[in-house]
Amino acid sequence: MKKNIHFFSRNLYIKDNELRNKLGIRGKEAMDFAALNLPILPGFILDSQISSHLENLDIISNIKSYMKRCEKITGKIFGDPDNPLLIKIVISPNLAIMNYPALHNFGLTDSTIIGFNNFVGEDFGYHEILFQIKGVLQIEQKIAELQKKSAISKSFTKKIDTLTKYINTGIKADKIKKVLAEYKKYLPDDFYSDVYRQIEIILKRVSLMLSLDELDDNDTALIIQPMVYGNYGKDSSSGQFFTRDVVTGEDKLAGWFEQNKFNSIEIKGKSIEKITPEYHKELKKVARIVEDHFKEIRSIRFTIENGLVWLIDQRPLMSKSTQADIKTLLDLYKRKIIDKKYLINAIKPDQLNEILHPIINPVSVKKLKKITGGVAGAPGAAIGKLYFSTNALIDAYKIAHQKGTDTRLILCMTSTFAEDVKAIEVATGVLSAEGGYAAHASVVARQYGKISLVSHDLKITGNRALIGGKSFKEGDIITLNVPHYGEPSIFFGEADLIEPDPEKSGLLEFVKIIKSTINNFHVRVNADKARDANLAIKFGAEGIGLCRTEHMFFDSKRINVFRRMIISDTFEERVKALKKLKAMQKDDFYQLFKIMDGREVTIRLLDAPLHEFLPHNKDEMQLFIDYMKNEQDAKNITSKEITANMENLREFNPMLGHRGCRIAVSYPEIYEMQMEAIFEAIYKLKSQGVKVNPEIMIPLIMNEDELKLLIFGKKIEGQSFRGLKQTELDLRTKLKAPAVPYRFGTMIELPVAALAAGEIAKYAEFFSFGTNDLTQTTIGLSRDDYTSFMPDYTLFDIIDGNPFIKLNKHVKELVRTAVRRGSMTRPGLTKGLCGEHGAVPENIKFCMDAGLDYVSCSVYSVPIALLAVAQETIKEK
């Protein structure tokens, strides 16, 4: 039998893998911890070859020598009446699905209970006997069940339930003694007469249970290990700690301990930082060893008994921040515990959403009422007062700013339009009712790093909103919680937020390491503001892949100038307004090129339908009228005339109507103004010695003739159309500026353009796939309306996931076709994908496989995309 008994202790363990396979999961763990030189309690294991065959073996004589070794290490004697050693039996199967009872406190007998009580108190001592008996009865119940003695099994189940109630109520010693008198009759007469007889009885009953269990299949070991108590004398305590701070990732112990308490599972006492320095030093050493071994933050339970520190348990953590994970991994990487490949693959790309946006401190919302549900438009958490219109929110923001009061506000609207961008920009979040992930509110929120939740239940009437039967009024404080994983929620009231800090969180350091693995595929940013461009560089972006120039007009100081241009009756009036806009755009382009310092900057010329820029409500209308009245060279205009203009511009299907390059064909002066603004900024920067790398993107091209006309112009029947190349040349000649290399390209966002890519590539030097519109025009789904019926399609598996997050297979085929045909015409053609599809790991893999050169996404998605690219690059290598 002795060849099947295996002792373990600190730095004493079994190395032979064949033997280790006979120890069960918990037995192998014990050997692993022993190998790590951790302060684990000693013990010995009856391996799986004998654990279910103990009935006829002489257990006592075979285990006594191992028990003596445990006594020597712990300083206590098994069966000693004054200072007794107690043991536990751990059933250690090789299958994690097996579940067996806990068997504790063996060694408590009639002769040892008094000595034990002298250390822990009589109430606690007798309470431990109840635990001991409960474990024995659970084994008996299992044996009866396996022997198909249902009546006996049920009888034991009732006894166990009653005993559990006694244990949970914390009854006193006097009452426990009476209970024991009742329960001892279910145990052998000599169970409490001798400690070795007691251990023999329980081991043989456990062995019988294993032999009867068909699931066991001689695959379970038995671990015998001493027990220690945090309430066993003055210099005793118990506690629990994390190997480092689970929120910040700071390399310091975070947890608690309690003196003279048995264990720390149900308690939170003093901070672990206040424990005696010598113990803190040892626990810190334990934390480092455990963290290095598992390569992650772990939770550790410990007991100090009479001045000796023992590791009781360690477990993985389900609840820790991404920041803590990253800081831990960076620390492990610096100390060469892990390599670069492990570091990069240890974090899922979507996890970075948490570190890029505020998150809720879960403790702060325990008492707040909430409603759940909705579509996550932009992840994170936001707190603020609700406002139901852009003007109301802007006014509230100005007043709060002037008074120095809380400026946290949430925009709540059925849907948002161009004029609402200024409110989203200053708000902490936006709550809307229409659309989904690709709705206007969601897209703009992601661009500005705000939080967006789309709730189709939202109904707004006057100054009240109703969601899920709950009512909000304007000015109420709510908290939006929009996790990347899990269900969004709205809390009534104010939560505590944990704000992100890219530098302190380790994100910027992590990004540098990520980028060191990336060679031939890059990530750019969608940016039209200097703030976003600066942040994108920090986040690792390699240039701007999409500058939406129409977004530059949303500013409150510009929108009315642009509106004046739209409603101009004559070419001359339109040019006057465009001159004002050119000065504004020139400054924007100057900043973007300067920040990017030689990186590619892809500027998309005006794309949105013109009617989207006109007033959509009475307040906006009045602001525009007031603006026109104050313009010296502007005519007086009424709301009726503006409405008439809006009606003239309104289209049945504006997405496929007069927008993009089609506006430039009708009003070439608009694109000419933008070209002049771009190149005036470029020439100024070149004169200052700043590198520039401009790319001019013309949107919504459907065939080569459109692109050829806009780039090179055309003369026909006495009329001429000045191309954009000529516009740049005329400006350069006028300013006597040196030539600057630049490229023309187009956004492939129509199926016809993808199919005609070979012809279009004659004039386009780069393609940028606008997959939001390409998805809409390929599968015939509106990104703003599909969510109303998408649940039905998902229910019957009609469509595979959300096509505005996960690229549709037919859209992918069009991209592949365009890449193939375009590259055949122009072998050096640059290909990219812009939009939020470009931040989804699955889509990034496709882009790399399809031969694209980059993806471009919103600024807060750049690190996510970079990590996905790095992981895919490592996988390919």
Side-chain angles (χ1 to χ4, degrees), residues 321-338:
S321 72
T322 298
Q323 174 173 323
D325 275 339
I326 288 177
K327 296 277 276 187
T328 304
L329 290 164
L330 287 171
D331 183 41
L332 293 169
Y333 177 68
K334 287 172 189 172
R335 293 188 292 107
K336 298 184 179 178
I337 304 298
I338 60 173

Side-chain angles (χ1 to χ4, degrees), residues 81 110 159 190 258 304 314 386 400 416 473 501 515 565 583 631 653 657 748 775 836 840 845 873:
D110 294 336
K159 293 178 179 65
D190 55 350
E258 190 71 55
I304 300 171
Q314 65 74 38
L386 276 180
T416 62
K473 66 178 185 296
D501 185 325
K515 287 193 69 178
M565 185 274 294
E631 288 289 286
N653 190 351
I748 303 292
T775 296
E836 290 313 293
V840 179
K845 182 182 186 316
T873 302

Side-chain angles (χ1 to χ4, degrees), residues 293-489:
H293 178 71
F294 290 101
K295 303 178 178 61
E296 64 176 8
I297 302 173
R298 304 290 278 200
S299 172
I300 294 175
R301 283 200 304 125
F302 69 95
T303 292
I304 300 171
E305 185 183 86
N306 286 327
L308 295 176
V309 176
W310 302 104
L311 170 64
I312 302 301
D313 190 13
Q314 65 74 38
R315 296 183 183 184
L317 278 175
M318 297 301 293
S319 181
K320 54 189 162 97
S321 72
T322 298
Q323 174 173 323
D325 275 339
I326 288 177
K327 296 277 276 187
T328 304
L329 290 164
L330 287 171
D331 183 41
L332 293 169
Y333 177 68
K334 287 172 189 172
R335 293 188 292 107
K336 298 184 179 178
I337 304 298
I338 60 173
D339 59 15
K340 191 182 293 186
K341 178 180 174 182
Y342 188 97
L343 169 65
I344 290 171
N345 284 322
I347 299 290
K348 294 178 181 177
D350 289 337
Q351 274 184 264
L352 295 183
N353 274 301
E354 181 189 309
I355 209 170
L356 290 161
H357 302 284
I359 58 171
I360 283 179
N361 184 339
V363 177
S364 68
V365 294
K366 285 185 176 179
K367 295 182 180 179
L368 294 183
K369 293 180 180 178
K370 70 173 181 177
I371 53 177
T372 57
V375 178
I383 298 168
K385 293 180 180 179
L386 276 180
Y387 286 92
F388 300 138
S389 71
T390 285
N391 289 333
L393 186 140
I394 294 293
D395 289 344
Y397 181 82
K398 288 177 180 175
I399 292 168
H401 202 270
Q402 289 166 0
K403 292 182 177 181
T405 55
D406 195 348
T407 57
R408 295 176 302 173
L409 311 169
I410 291 175
L411 182 64
C412 179
M413 298 180 69
T414 303
S415 58
T416 62
F417 298 92
E419 67 262 23
D420 302 312
V421 172
K422 59 189 177 186
I424 297 174
E425 188 174 3
V426 300
T428 56
V430 54
L431 175 61
S432 58
E434 294 180 357
Y437 182 80
H440 179 271
S442 301
V443 172
V444 175
R446 289 196 296 274
Q447 180 189 353
Y448 286 105
K450 308 295 180 173
I451 311 309
S452 170
L453 174 61
V454 182
S455 175
H456 299 132
D457 294 335
L458 173 64
K459 301 287 185 292
I460 301 174
T461 308
N463 69 342
R464 283 196 170 273
L466 191 70
I467 308 177
K470 304 288 184 182
S471 177
F472 304 87
K473 66 178 185 296
E474 196 159 73
D476 281 353
I477 293 180
I478 65 167
T479 299
L480 299 179
N481 184 35
V482 188
H484 190 80
Y485 296 106
E487 195 171 34
S489 51

Side-chain angles (χ1 to χ4, degrees), residues 724-744:
L724 297 177
K725 258 193 176 300
Q726 189 63 44
T727 301
E728 185 274 329
L729 179 59
D730 291 348
L731 179 66
R732 189 183 351 136
T733 303
K734 177 184 172 183
L735 299 177
K736 297 180 181 179
V740 175
Y742 68 95
R743 300 193 297 168
F744 279 110

Side-chain angles (χ1 to χ4, degrees), residues 450-606:
K450 308 295 180 173
I451 311 309
S452 170
L453 174 61
V454 182
S455 175
H456 299 132
D457 294 335
L458 173 64
K459 301 287 185 292
I460 301 174
T461 308
N463 69 342
R464 283 196 170 273
L466 191 70
I467 308 177
K470 304 288 184 182
S471 177
F472 304 87
K473 66 178 185 296
E474 196 159 73
D476 281 353
I477 293 180
I478 65 167
T479 299
L480 299 179
N481 184 35
V482 188
H484 190 80
Y485 296 106
E487 195 171 34
S489 51
I490 302 171
F491 292 93
F492 291 75
E494 182 176 342
D496 292 336
L497 297 188
I498 301 168
E499 295 290 342
D501 185 325
E503 195 157 347
K504 288 183 179 177
S505 68
L507 177 64
L508 300 187
E509 187 180 351
F510 188 48
V511 165
K512 284 182 183 176
I513 296 169
I514 289 169
K515 287 193 69 178
S516 69
T517 66
I518 300 172
N519 299 316
N520 302 318
F521 192 90
H522 301 288
V523 177
R524 300 190 196 175
V525 66
N526 299 342
D528 45 74
K529 287 189 177 293
R531 179 188 68 87
D532 290 344
N534 271 314
L535 188 56
I537 294 297
K538 284 185 177 180
F539 283 167
E542 292 290 342
I544 293 175
L546 175 62
C547 171
R548 299 179 177 97
T549 55
E550 61 272 10
H551 283 195
M552 295 172 169
F553 302 128
F554 292 154
D555 186 276
S556 58
K557 295 177 182 177
R558 302 180 182 190
I559 188 69
N560 286 322
V561 182
F562 195 75
R563 286 167 176 165
R564 181 184 174 185
M565 185 274 294
I566 293 172
I567 66 167
S568 298
D569 292 327
T570 65
F571 172 80
E572 289 73 23
E573 285 182 16
R574 197 155 44 249
V575 168
K576 281 181 184 178
L578 286 169
K579 280 184 179 178
K580 289 186 178 182
L581 291 169
K582 184 173 86 167
M584 298 170 183
Q585 289 228 296
K586 175 185 172 182
D587 184 55
D588 290 337
F589 296 139
Y590 176 88
Q591 291 183 60
L592 292 178
F593 282 122
K594 187 173 184 179
I595 291 165
M596 286 296 139
D597 192 25
R599 297 176 181 86
E600 291 98 336
V601 177
T602 306
I603 297 174
R604 184 179 74 184
L605 303 179
L606 183 70

